[in-house]
Amino acid sequence: MTTAPPPVNEPDPSALTCPGDQVGPCAACQRKTHKYGRGGTPLCQWCMEPALAKWGPNARYVSTRT
């Protein structure tokens, strides 16, 4: 049984352990998360869980930067 995620105004735990310039909004819920730099992901851990369940552990995202 999984617990419900905390309110969106509370940051993802990853945002508390990375430099402030690597924090950005989750692409799905806008929660502050470690989004940029090494180890960053576009989704917070609560949004990533159902994405990985749907797509599997090999899910990847593509940068749209040129």
Side-chain angles (χ1 to χ4, degrees):
M1 182 174 151
T2 60
T3 60
V8 175
N9 62 352
E10 293 185 23
D12 185 60
S14 66
L16 304 175
T17 61
C18 71
D21 64 338
Q22 295 182 356
V23 174
C26 169
C29 70
Q30 305 304 307
R31 177 188 317 273
K32 289 183 181 179
T33 191
H34 179 187
K35 188 169 182 174
Y36 306 105
R38 175 165 273 194
T41 63
L43 299 173
C44 69
Q45 70 180 21
W46 292 281
C47 294
M48 184 65 83
E49 187 176 323
L52 289 177
K54 180 178 179 182
W55 296 100
N58 295 324
R60 297 286 184 260
Y61 52 91
V62 178
S63 174
T64 57
R65 291 186 171 179
T66 56

